[in-house]
């Protein structure tokens, strides 16, 4: 035991921990519980057995006598405060603390005002006068985000916080805001709060815990709101410190991209096309037009659901299409992103979801990242991978670009776009030939070993070099790291799936995991990094043409009977149309009506010209949206919906974690939550629903989906649950396939390489995201993030640019066999010669004009990653 101000406390942790346990008020200005011990500020000095020691860095020991309020300690703090005031003008917590110590600048004088402020960044403000050099921002940047933006420049009285030359907006800052949350003195502040303070709002401020509506990481947010009713506005957003998903950390989108919720571009009334023009209408008028059109075109209609919307809304959507409209012609955007992950993993393992949890990143002894620019597409997960790698965990990266993770990887296999299959086969060859296979696991839990071993022996690294562009030596280095690891964790993204052989490449990643026995335990697994916030949930809820909720096959009579018993209606028995077939049938006239729910297919689908042709040929196009998107502009009826900040429900993240979504704001006047709109439409079509709130919908989901049997809103309180949750009270399933696979044994699959018809052009274009934007940018562009990145650009290697007379910043014409666009050139060392890269966030670029009809052979996912193009000066 240890005595603190006369109170006996167990001696555990540091003296600061013990003092806190005893209820003693010990300041610790450089202490942040998320970070390592700093010991810089010396504000936590206390008296221990007559000696002054720093509480934050001194271990507690039995028998010590601690005094936190002695005359000596009080005098020390007052003098420390005087020294701080002589060097800085702290605000916030530190300013209040220094004043409480009785420091007023009378002993050493007050620091002169330098007025050194930096307001160049749209979301972060720096005031040098308030900086106390506690280094919390520096450590937060390094230890939470894995970046190294800050440094201390100078020594002694000349020391100051620095970030290199130039304004802060031009530093290497990734705008995660970790430094702002760490700063105790007001030197770094969130400019959202400045903007909020300029506009007073009636009513009390409140905080709502919800789930982020951007990528599939599923970060938990604490959304701060001021004002009531229509005057309510988000003032700022913080990460939930107790969340196992993000541990309080956020990216630029999660923290700052909330302004869209009250942007003037928001749709606030239904629109119906009359005389060729979209005109305002009442809800009843819009519902009547839709119901009449659906009835008239029964048998020739389809629905496309939204990965941005909740599980409950996606469930209702597919229920509406199947039960009210009588068709399995329903799909979702998983078709154009991770459909190949689901298809490939289902064929190899029996289920298409991530096998492990994000927390396993810290437990792995090898991280094997394929086709994922994780730090930009899934930034909080990317930060965890980056931190693990910087901490010594070996990292292998497969990517045609030298992405951020590649720069710190032990091995970067920079293969040519479209060559994942021969590269992964070559890695497997080394494992097999050099006997780095878990033979016990393979014998007990896999099938096809003899055939696979004979096949893969022909796939040597030397044989693949001329195709992949990766040296055999590099392939062997990566294979040796994989073969010698005990807990290899495989993560992959759209750089694997969006290919002609996307599903088959996923099977090859499964092969690697099976060969190493790396499934069914902590720190391993095959883990697709899901793109959109609820793309996992949309698939789970049955928004696909071959299976309904819980992946129940639509042509399985026993599965249909379960739904028919609950729904009270017969279900269609034939497998429906996938999205590409829907668009093809719309062009030919076989499909007359399409209900697009929360997706902008004009901007996100391939071959934009043909997509527009298909939609223009429809008799009725219904779009449910937040803004007048490119698809909504050509619709016959547009329904204004509520955003994720304005409704209740659940999202399921990429690790199968079902988490609550809670309304922080009331729906914008004139809009309605998507679940309410869908129930209204079902009633208008003659099938009223009994649901009064989203929780009622989840209760029905639990009745029809065995993996959700134990799921309810009460059960999800806290940190949610990872499905399957087979019964009430079940804790969820962080790791799949511990004992067996749903298909029995894992399948080792032989995959021959098939070259994409798009390979071999003058240049190969591959596409993806940037950190600051999300898919078509509908929300981020209206939240101020265009001040950070305001256009899509074309990244090129210097050799390719010079050969075409192009310099950095030039406007270039980019042409493929399918279309053309203009993009500004960025000469980049991230690109290999012969490969160029761009994004698809801005409608003016219309990047997908360039993308053709090549699709994954099993799932119909478009090949966004391999496009033959030529580039010339505009």
């Amino acid at each position: 035991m240890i005595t603190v101000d006369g109170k006996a406390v167990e001696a555990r942790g540091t003296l600061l921990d013990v003092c806190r346990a005893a209820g003693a008020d010990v300041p610790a200005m450089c202490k942040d519980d998320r970070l390592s011990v700093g010991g810089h500020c010396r504000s936590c000095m206390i008296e221990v057995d007559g000696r002054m020691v720093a509480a934050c860095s001194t271990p507690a020991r039995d028998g010590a006598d601690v005094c936190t309020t002695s005359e000596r300690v009080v005098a020390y703090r007052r003098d420390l405060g005087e020294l701080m005031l002589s060097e800085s003008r702290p605000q916030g917590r530190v300013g209040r603390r220094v004043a409480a110590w009785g420091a007023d600048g009378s002993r050493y004088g007050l620091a002169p005002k330098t007025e050194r402020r930096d307001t160049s960044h749209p979301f972060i403000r720096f005031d040098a006068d308030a900086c106390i050099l506690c280094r919390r921002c520096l450590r937060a940047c390094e230890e939470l985000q894995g970046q190294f933006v800050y440094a201390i420049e100078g020594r002694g009285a000349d020391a100051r916080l620095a970030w290199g030359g130039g304004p802060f907006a031009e530093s290497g800052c990734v705008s995660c805001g970790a430094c702002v949350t760490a700063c105790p003195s007001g030197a770094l502040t969130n400019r959202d709060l400045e903007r909020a303070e300029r506009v007073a709002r009636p009513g009390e401020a409140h905080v709502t815990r919800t789930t982020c509506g951007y990528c599939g990481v599923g970060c938990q947010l604490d959304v701060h709101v001021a004002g009531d009713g229509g005057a309510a506005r988000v003032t700022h957003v913080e990460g939930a410190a107790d969340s196992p998903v993000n541990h309080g950390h956020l990216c630029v989108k999660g923290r700052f991209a909330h302004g869209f919720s009250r942007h003037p571009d928001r749709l606030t009334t239904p629109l119906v096309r009359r005389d060729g023009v979209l005109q305002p209408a009442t809800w009843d008028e819009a519902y009547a037009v839709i119901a009449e059109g659906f009835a008239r075109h029964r048998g020739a209609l389809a629905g496309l659901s939204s990965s941005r919307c909740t599980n409950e809304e996606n469930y209702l959507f597919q229920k509406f299409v199947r039960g009210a409209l009588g068709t399995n012609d329903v799909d979702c955007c998983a078709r154009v992103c991770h459909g190949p992950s689901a298809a490939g993993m289902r064929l190899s393992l029996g289920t298409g979801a991530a096998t492990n949890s994000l927390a396993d990143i810290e437990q792995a002894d090898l991280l094997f990242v394929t086709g994922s620019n994780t730090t930009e597409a899934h930034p909080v997960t990317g930060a965890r991978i980056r931190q693990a790698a910087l901490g010594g965990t070996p990292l292998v990266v497969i990517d045609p670009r030298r992405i951020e993770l590649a720069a710190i990887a032990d091995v970067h296999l920079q293969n040519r776009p479209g060559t994942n299959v021969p590269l992964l086969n070559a890695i497997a060859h080394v494992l097999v030939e050099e006997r780095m296979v878990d033979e016990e696991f393979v014998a007990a839990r896999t099938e096809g070993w003899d055939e696979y071993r004979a096949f893969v022996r022909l796939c040597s690294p030397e044989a693949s070099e001329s195709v992949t562009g990766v040296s055999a030596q590099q392939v062997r280095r990566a294979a040796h790291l994989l073969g010698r690891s005990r807990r290899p964790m495989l993560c992959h993204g759209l750089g694997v799936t969006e290919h002609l052989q996307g599903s088959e490449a996923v099977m090859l990643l499964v092969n690697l995991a099976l060969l190493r026995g790396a499934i069914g335990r902590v720190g391993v697994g095959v883990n697709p990094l899901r793109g959109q916030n609820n793309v996992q949930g949309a698939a789970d809820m049955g928004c696909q043409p071959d299976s309904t909720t819980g992946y129940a096959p639509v042509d399985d009579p026993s599965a249909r009977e379960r739904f028919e018993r609950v729904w009270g209606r017969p279900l269609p028995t034939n497998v429906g149309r996938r999205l590409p077939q829907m668009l093809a049938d719309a062009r030919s006239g076989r499909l007359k009506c399409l209900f697009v729910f929360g997706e902008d297919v004009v901007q996100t689908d391939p071959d934009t010209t043909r997509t527009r042709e298909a939609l223009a040929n429809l008799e009725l196009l219904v779009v449910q949206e937040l803004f007048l998107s490119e698809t909504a502009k050509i619709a016959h009826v547009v329904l204004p919906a509520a955003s994720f900040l304005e409704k209740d429900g659940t999202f399921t993240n990429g690790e199968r974690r079902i988490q609550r979504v809670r309304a922080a704001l009331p729906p914008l006047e004139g809009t309605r939550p998507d679940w309410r709109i869908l129930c209204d439409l079902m009633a208008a079509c003659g099938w009223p629903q009994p649901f009064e709130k989203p929780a009622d919908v989840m209760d029905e989901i639990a009745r029809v989906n065995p993996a959700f049997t134990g799921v309810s809103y009460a059960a999800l309180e806290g940190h949610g649950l990872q499905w399957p949750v087979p019964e009430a009270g079940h804790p969820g399933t962080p790791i799949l396939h511990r004992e067996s696979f749903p298909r029995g044994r894992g399948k080792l699959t032989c995959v021959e390489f098939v070259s994409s018809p798009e390979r071999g052009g003058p240049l190969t274009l591959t596409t993806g995201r940037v950190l600051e934007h999300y898919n078509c940018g509908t929300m981020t562009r209206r939240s101020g993030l265009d001040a950070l990145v305001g256009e899509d650009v074309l990244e090129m290697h210097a050799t390719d640019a010079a050969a075409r007379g192009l310099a950095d910043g030039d406007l270039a014409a980019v042409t493929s066999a399918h279309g053309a666009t203009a993009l500004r050139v960025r000469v980049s060392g991230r690109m290999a010669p012969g490969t160029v890269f761009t994004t698809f966030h801005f409608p003016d670029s219309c990047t997908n004009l360039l993308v053709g009809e090549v699709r994954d052979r099993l799932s119909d996912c478009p090949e966004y990653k391999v496009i033959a193009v030529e580039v010339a000066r505009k």
Side-chain angles (χ1 to χ4, degrees):
M1 300 294 286
I2 191 169
T3 302
V4 179
D5 296 334
K7 182 177 181 179
V9 185
E10 184 178 358
R12 178 180 296 177
T14 65
L15 286 175
L16 182 60
D17 297 326
V18 171
C19 289
R20 287 176 172 176
D25 181 20
V26 176
M29 294 175 181
C30 67
K31 172 69 173 174
D32 186 315
D33 291 339
R34 302 170 298 171
L35 309 175
S36 62
V37 173
H40 305 296
C41 69
R42 287 303 193 252
S43 65
C44 67
M45 297 291 284
I46 54 176
E47 196 167 353
V48 181
D49 298 330
R51 295 185 303 112
M52 294 288 284
V53 300
C56 71
S57 57
T58 305
R61 57 176 177 81
D62 284 329
D65 183 17
V66 176
C67 185
T68 68
T69 57
S70 68
E71 289 186 9
R72 187 178 178 190
V73 170
V74 170
Y76 169 82
R77 290 175 184 164
R78 185 185 306 114
D79 195 52
L80 177 64
E82 291 287 351
L83 283 168
M84 292 175 68
L85 291 177
S86 73
E87 296 176 345
S88 62
R89 292 174 175 259
Q91 309 296 317
R93 299 190 300 272
V94 173
R96 291 189 294 272
R97 175 74 77 173
V98 168
W101 290 342
D104 57 9
S106 59
R107 183 165 186 179
Y108 304 114
L110 288 172
K113 284 189 175 183
T114 68
E115 304 294 341
R116 189 169 74 90
R117 296 186 177 92
D118 190 303
T119 58
S120 62
H121 194 285
F123 302 113
I124 298 172
R125 179 180 185 271
F126 176 66
D127 181 353
D129 288 338
C131 181
I132 62 170
L133 296 179
C134 66
R135 294 170 172 79
R136 279 170 64 161
C137 59
L138 185 153
R139 288 183 290 130
C141 185
E142 293 179 2
E143 297 178 24
L144 298 180
Q145 185 60 35
Q147 301 292 332
F148 300 88
V149 172
Y150 296 107
I152 301 299
E153 183 178 81
R155 296 176 64 84
D158 295 326
R160 65 174 192 164
L161 187 69
W163 52 79
F168 185 70
E170 296 177 9
S171 70
C173 177
V174 296
S175 309
C176 69
C179 57
V180 175
T181 65
C183 179
S185 68
L188 288 162
T189 51
N190 183 339
R191 299 189 72 182
D192 278 348
L193 285 170
E194 292 180 9
R195 288 184 275 266
E197 288 168 359
R198 289 198 291 266
V199 183
R201 306 242 173 237
E204 294 185 4
H206 63 274
V207 182
T208 301
R209 174 67 58 86
T210 191
T211 304
C212 184
Y214 285 103
C215 78
V217 174
C219 294
Q220 291 290 282
L221 312 178
D222 287 334
V223 181
H224 294 248
V225 171
D228 297 326
R233 295 290 187 277
V234 175
T235 59
H236 65 291
V237 176
E238 295 178 347
D242 60 342
S243 167
V245 175
N246 57 306
H247 300 284
H249 195 39
L250 294 174
C251 77
V252 60
K253 297 183 288 291
R255 192 179 303 279
F256 297 119
H258 53 77
F260 74 91
S261 63
R262 291 299 185 259
H263 194 278
D265 286 353
R266 281 285 299 274
L267 294 166
T268 56
T269 185
L271 303 172
V272 174
R273 192 171 295 278
R274 301 186 179 100
D275 300 322
V277 179
L278 284 172
Q279 299 180 16
T282 67
W283 282 98
D284 287 343
E285 289 171 339
Y287 289 155
V289 172
I290 295 169
E292 188 278 330
F294 285 171
R296 179 159 39 93
H297 297 300
R298 191 176 181 87
L301 50 81
L304 179 63
S305 192
S306 175
S307 297
R308 290 187 289 154
C309 294
T310 65
N311 286 318
E312 295 77 3
E313 291 159 349
N314 279 284
Y315 173 79
L316 284 172
F317 186 83
Q318 60 87 37
K319 180 181 182 181
F320 176 35
V321 173
R322 291 187 163 103
L325 306 183
T327 178
N328 283 318
D329 292 337
V330 59
D331 213 344
C332 70
C333 84
R335 181 69 52 208
V336 299
C337 59
H338 269 290
S341 290
M345 293 177 70
R346 193 177 298 125
L347 288 169
S348 294
L349 303 175
T351 188
T355 62
N356 286 63
S357 304
L358 294 173
D360 285 11
I361 291 170
E362 286 80 25
Q363 304 302 317
D365 66 1
L366 173 71
L367 294 166
F368 196 99
V369 180
T370 307
S372 170
N373 187 7
T374 323
T375 56
E376 298 201 53
H378 306 87
V380 171
T381 296
R384 293 178 83 160
I385 293 174
R386 184 176 171 86
Q387 288 289 9
L390 291 172
T393 302
L395 172 64
V396 174
V397 171
I398 300 177
D399 201 285
R401 303 164 69 212
R402 188 171 173 78
I403 58 173
E404 184 178 333
L405 287 181
I408 61 169
D410 294 77
V411 180
H412 173 209
L413 305 181
Q414 191 170 11
N415 62 321
R416 297 185 181 113
T419 64
N420 289 330
V421 166
L423 181 58
L424 295 172
N425 276 335
I427 293 171
H429 169 94
V430 178
L431 297 180
V432 171
E433 287 297 285
E434 300 189 22
R435 301 182 64 82
M436 292 186 287
V437 173
D438 186 332
E439 295 179 358
E440 183 179 345
F441 183 93
V442 168
R445 297 195 56 184
T446 73
E447 64 181 46
W449 167 240
D450 290 337
E451 179 187 358
Y452 177 75
R453 178 172 52 185
F455 166 77
V456 84
R457 279 178 167 164
L458 303 176
C459 303
S460 71
E462 288 75 14
S464 72
E465 274 184 330
S466 62
V467 177
T468 65
V470 179
S471 72
Q473 180 184 12
Q474 283 288 83
V475 172
R476 291 183 185 280
R477 283 186 62 203
H480 292 160
L481 285 172
L482 178 60
R484 292 166 184 162
S485 64
R486 299 174 63 185
R487 296 183 307 281
M489 186 174 187
L490 284 71
C491 301
H492 69 271
L494 304 186
V496 171
T497 60
E498 292 178 343
H499 288 276
L500 175 69
Q501 289 188 281
S503 297
E504 292 159 296
V506 171
M507 294 180 197
L508 298 187
L509 288 171
V510 174
N511 285 351
L512 296 180
L514 293 174
L515 291 174
R516 294 295 303 127
I519 292 183
R521 52 193 174 90
V522 172
V524 298
V526 180
N527 301 282
L529 299 175
R530 297 286 184 170
Q532 296 200 55
N533 55 298
N534 201 36
V535 67
Q536 179 69 58
D540 295 345
M541 293 302 103
C543 294
Q544 43 203 351
D546 59 346
S547 58
T548 188
T549 311
Y551 304 97
V554 298
D555 53 2
D556 179 350
S558 62
R560 285 202 311 273
E561 191 276 332
R562 183 170 71 246
F563 287 89
E564 290 170 347
R565 185 173 62 250
V566 174
W567 291 1
R569 289 206 167 192
L571 269 68
T573 61
N574 60 303
V575 173
R577 286 176 274 210
R578 294 173 173 179
L579 175 56
Q581 188 180 353
M582 293 177 190
L583 295 176
D585 286 352
R587 283 190 293 270
S588 70
R590 287 190 294 271
L591 186 74
K592 303 293 185 182
C593 173
L594 182 63
F595 185 3
V596 178
F597 167 46
E599 291 295 331
D600 189 0
V601 292
V602 170
Q603 191 172 341
T604 60
D605 273 45
D607 206 343
T608 305
T609 301
R610 287 173 62 79
T611 299
R612 285 184 180 277
E613 289 172 358
L615 298 181
N617 204 37
L618 292 165
E619 299 279 338
L620 178 63
L621 173 60
V622 179
V623 174
Q624 195 161 310
E625 255 296 357
L626 303 180
F627 300 96
L628 197 65
S629 65
E630 298 303 301
T631 304
K633 289 175 183 178
I634 58 176
H636 300 95
V637 182
V638 181
L639 302 176
S643 76
F644 79 92
L645 291 169
E646 302 156 359
K647 60 187 178 184
D648 290 341
T650 59
F651 293 151
T652 303
N653 76 349
E655 59 175 1
R656 298 171 284 102
R657 188 183 298 272
I658 312 155
Q659 300 182 107
R660 281 297 317 278
V661 175
R662 300 176 182 88
L665 297 167
L668 198 62
E669 185 176 358
T671 70
R672 294 181 180 180
D674 293 285
W675 74 269
R676 181 74 269 163
I677 297 171
L678 292 169
C679 286
D680 291 346
L681 281 172
M682 293 171 86
C685 292
W687 193 19
Q689 297 296 299
F691 310 118
E692 296 185 359
K693 56 187 182 299
D696 300 336
V697 183
M698 179 56 76
D699 291 342
E700 182 170 298
I701 294 168
R703 293 173 63 195
V704 299
N705 183 357
F708 276 57
T709 298
V711 176
S712 66
Y713 278 21
L716 294 176
E717 285 301 315
H719 305 310
L721 294 168
Q722 290 170 271
W723 65 256
V725 189
E727 59 187 7
H730 192 279
T733 310
I735 299 175
L736 296 180
H737 317 314
R738 282 188 179 272
E739 302 297 332
S740 63
F741 299 110
R743 71 181 305 278
R745 285 174 171 259
K747 183 180 181 182
L748 289 163
T749 307
C750 304
V751 178
E752 296 277 3
F753 173 53
V754 178
S755 183
S756 168
E758 292 281 339
R759 291 185 70 236
L763 294 170
T764 299
L765 171 69
T766 187
T767 67
R769 295 181 186 172
V770 292
L771 167 67
E772 293 79 4
H773 291 288
Y774 167 78
N775 286 7
C776 54
T778 302
M779 299 188 296
T780 52
R781 285 185 282 108
R782 293 178 172 91
S783 296
L785 269 66
D786 53 348
L788 296 171
V789 173
E791 62 179 347
D792 296 314
V793 298
L794 185 73
E795 290 189 22
M796 301 182 72
H797 189 273
T799 301
D800 293 327
R804 290 159 176 81
L806 292 165
D808 197 71
D810 285 350
L811 190 63
V814 187
T815 306
S816 75
H818 320 287
T821 189
L823 296 165
R824 203 162 299 282
V825 170
R826 176 176 295 160
V827 176
S828 171
R830 301 205 295 182
M831 307 309 300
T835 303
V836 294
F837 170 84
T838 193
T839 53
F840 50 89
H841 303 304
F842 292 85
D844 290 347
S845 303
C846 209
T847 300
N848 287 324
L849 281 167
L850 303 169
V851 184
E853 289 291 305
V854 178
R855 298 180 181 275
D856 174 53
R857 302 199 303 172
L858 299 182
S859 72
D860 274 345
C861 177
E863 188 171 51
Y864 293 105
K865 304 303 185 189
V866 184
I867 308 140
V869 297
E870 183 52 284
V871 177
R873 181 179 292 277
K874 180 70 174 177

